[in-house]
Amino acid sequence: TSPQPNPNHNHATNHNAIQTQQQQAMAPKAFDWSTELFGPKLLTKPKTSGVPTASALGGKKLVLLYFSASWCPPCKAFSPRLIDFYNSCSEDIEVIFVSSDRDEKSFGDYFSKMPWLSTIPAYTSNENRDRQGKLADMFKIQGIPSVIVLNAKTGHFVTDNARTEVMQANSDASKKALVQSWLSKEAVPVDQAVFASGGGGSNNIFVKIFMMFAKKPQYFFGMLYLGKKLLRYLENLGKDENNDQIEL
């Protein structure tokens, strides 16, 4: 006769399977640094719903955050250089555009020319505006264009001098060597990072002045007006020393 199935064995197997499922459900989920920083989705093209952040960065070794905007002339000059760099090294790096554009058309026209990903722009909601503000504060962004390099696996900080380094990498060999130099650096948690240049050259006083005028153009016209008044004042000083009324 064939052996009869043991009902106690089946019960134990089912019990163990249920226990395993419960333990898996109760186990803490692995921390996903990219979703924490950038939100649940990243854009691949303008006017799309986006793709899951964690899977979008899968397989990459480094993540470059590109703080930029369509209204910024230095950004528009640098973007082609970064695109060329990305095309040479895309097997190891992913770029994420963090836009300071203020409307859908400006963002869409600029981002449509880029071969990489983007955070959801700040102008779309208060939540996205707050997230972008936290990113800028976290990486001490003082001006654009700025490029921050992070370790793709951990989110740890590698360098904030990438803009200058990318500009200096003129050949395919030098581009790949630059990526390897970033990979060889010791990445540190962002809260332990020492920021040297505010993301790529923002210590330059001329960049700071340009950024101030770009964000608030009324300052430029105010300075222009005061400059004209000063010139007229200096001209009048030399006309008649006995005249006690100066036309402004």
Side-chain angles (χ1 to χ4, degrees), residues 1 10 14 23 28 32-34 50-51 70 77 126-127 135 147 151-152 168 181 212 243:
T1 60
N10 291 338
N14 291 337
Q23 289 171 353
D32 177 13
W33 72 267
S34 58
V51 295
S70 65
N126 288 334
E127 180 184 1
L135 279 177
V147 182
N151 181 288
Q168 294 171 347
S181 74
M212 180 184 70
N243 189 348

Side-chain angles (χ1 to χ4, degrees), residues 32-43 53 65 67 96-100 118-141:
D32 177 13
W33 72 267
S34 58
T35 299
E36 181 73 16
L37 257 62
F38 311 131
K41 289 191 174 183
L42 293 169
L43 301 180
T53 299
L65 303 187
F67 292 82
I96 299 177
F97 174 38
V98 184
S99 174
S100 293
S118 173
T119 59
I120 299 177
Y123 65 79
T124 57
S125 71
N126 288 334
E127 180 184 1
N128 292 323
R129 183 181 299 110
D130 291 343
R131 180 178 289 116
Q132 184 163 319
K134 288 178 182 177
L135 279 177
D137 290 342
M138 178 181 295
F139 297 109
K140 306 293 188 291
I141 301 301

Side-chain angles (χ1 to χ4, degrees), residues 2-244:
S2 60
Q4 297 296 315
N6 184 346
N8 292 330
H9 174 74
N10 291 338
H11 176 74
T13 301
N14 291 337
H15 179 71
N16 290 338
I18 292 172
Q19 269 193 326
T20 301
Q21 291 175 353
Q22 289 176 339
Q23 289 171 353
Q24 289 175 345
M26 294 174 62
K29 294 181 179 179
F31 175 71
D32 177 13
W33 72 267
S34 58
T35 299
E36 181 73 16
L37 257 62
F38 311 131
K41 289 191 174 183
L42 293 169
L43 301 180
T44 56
K45 294 291 181 184
K47 298 182 180 180
T48 59
S49 59
V51 295
T53 299
S55 61
L57 301 178
K60 301 296 183 178
K61 297 177 182 178
L62 297 168
V63 174
L64 279 62
L65 303 187
Y66 180 34
F67 292 82
S68 182
S70 65
W71 46 261
C72 165
C75 298
K76 296 179 81 170
F78 175 69
S79 287
R81 298 291 298 270
L82 187 58
I83 290 172
D84 185 54
F85 182 84
Y86 177 81
N87 289 336
S88 295
C89 307
S90 59
E91 67 274 12
D92 291 324
I93 70 171
E94 187 55 74
V95 176
I96 299 177
F97 174 38
V98 184
S99 174
S100 293
D101 286 301
R102 305 180 182 102
D103 60 78
E104 184 175 334
K105 186 179 187 310
S106 300
F107 168 77
D109 290 348
Y110 193 37
F111 180 46
S112 65
K113 300 179 178 69
M114 299 176 178
W116 46 66
L117 305 170
S118 173
T119 59
I120 299 177
Y123 65 79
T124 57
S125 71
N126 288 334
E127 180 184 1
N128 292 323
R129 183 181 299 110
D130 291 343
R131 180 178 289 116
Q132 184 163 319
K134 288 178 182 177
L135 279 177
D137 290 342
M138 178 181 295
F139 297 109
K140 306 293 188 291
I141 301 301
Q142 302 173 29
I144 54 176
S146 294
V147 182
I148 304 291
V149 180
L150 304 177
N151 181 288
K153 184 177 180 180
T154 63
H156 288 179
F157 173 87
V158 177
T159 182
D160 65 344
N161 193 41
R163 178 196 172 195
T164 300
E165 293 175 317
V166 168
M167 290 291 290
Q168 294 171 347
N170 296 315
S171 65
D172 280 349
S174 61
K175 294 180 178 87
K176 293 182 184 300
L178 176 56
V179 169
Q180 291 305 312
S181 74
W182 290 337
L183 290 170
S184 67
K185 284 186 178 181
E186 181 183 359
V188 299
V190 176
D191 59 1
Q192 298 176 21
V194 177
F195 295 92
S197 62
S202 60
N203 282 338
N204 188 311
I205 186 63
F206 297 107
V207 173
K208 290 184 177 181
I209 292 172
F210 169 78
M211 288 300 300
M212 180 184 70
F213 287 146
K215 290 181 179 180
K216 296 190 176 181
Q218 64 269 27
Y219 287 1
F220 172 77
F221 294 110
M223 292 294 292
L224 189 63
Y225 174 80
L226 291 175
K228 289 182 178 179
K229 289 292 186 182
L230 178 61
L231 286 175
R232 291 180 63 184
Y233 172 77
L234 293 175
E235 288 175 357
N236 287 330
L237 279 179
K239 285 182 179 178
D240 188 355
E241 294 183 354
N242 296 321
N243 189 348
D244 61 356

